[in-house]
Amino acid sequence: MISKNQIKYIQSLHTKKNREQEGLFIIEGIKLVTEFILDGSYTVKELFATQDYIDNHIDLLKGKVVNCTEISAEDLKKISLQTTPNQALAIVVAKDHELNSDSLQQGLTLYLDDIRDPGNLGTMIRIADWFGIKQVICSENTTEVYNPKTLQASMGAVLRVNVIYMSFENVLKHAKNVPIYGALLEGENIYTTRLQKGIIVIGNEANGITPEVQKQITNAITIPAATNNGSESLNAANACAIICGEFFRQLNY
């Protein structure tokens, strides 16, 4: 059984202010909750699950020593942010990730500049994971990685990608002689540009890359459009997928 005080407390974690104050965040759904428990890199403080979930994952729960409270489908709706809650909700201890300087200097890094939509952020983290990019750096104005919508859209990729928040000015202190690619409408055709490992900057959904960061870009790139298209731009997450895919193709094949 879940108490009224527990319901009230979990509901309070629906807001960023309370998540940051408590150092906790919420994950939901069979897949995401199970993946977090199996991975073990985060501490799952409390699990609220229906009898069906508990029965189907009893060995997992015992092996990982997760504190589990059985909950009815009706009470799960009260603490969930989803329209149709799916058997399990967990409270997880947040943690701060540190910059991996070696990865920044020698690998491929995404820098997300003022991304405001949590679904876009989660999708871009998932894209990074798909293409083997181990580090995503977010500007300090980018939306929160522990937003439930971000976590849901990432589909567990946050477990495998190092996501940190840092100003571009501070990133540059650790990125010596590293190519900085910026996704701009007036850049060079990405398909005819010889790409190298470096930093890929993706800008805000409406306004693109901020002027301060644009000044630091060494290689402006663009995704060419059909000559008869009527669209002004691509969704930020879609553009990120195309760009990361082309980097992956050139660097690995």
Side-chain angles (χ1 to χ4, degrees), residues 18 32 43 94 126 146 164 172 190 196 213:
N18 288 324
L32 196 58
T43 300
R126 186 179 179 186
Y146 293 134
I164 68 167
L172 291 177
I190 189 173
Q196 305 173 56
V213 176

Side-chain angles (χ1 to χ4, degrees), residues 38-107:
L38 282 170
D39 182 83
S41 59
Y42 281 83
T43 300
V44 177
K45 184 178 180 181
E46 185 79 39
L47 171 63
F48 298 91
T50 63
Q51 187 62 56
D52 283 345
Y53 183 89
I54 295 170
D55 289 344
N56 291 327
H57 298 84
I58 191 68
D59 293 335
L60 167 66
L61 299 178
K62 285 181 178 178
K64 296 295 182 179
V65 198
V66 174
N67 186 25
C68 180
T69 299
E70 184 181 339
I71 189 172
S72 67
E74 182 179 349
D75 281 339
L76 184 59
K77 287 182 180 179
K78 295 177 183 177
I79 60 175
S80 173
L81 279 168
Q82 296 185 1
T83 306
T84 308
N86 192 359
Q87 295 192 15
L89 179 150
I91 298 174
V92 184
V93 178
K95 62 181 183 180
D96 293 324
H97 295 267
E98 295 183 355
L99 177 71
N100 185 326
S101 296
D102 289 340
S103 177
L104 184 62
Q105 283 290 140
Q106 302 167 16

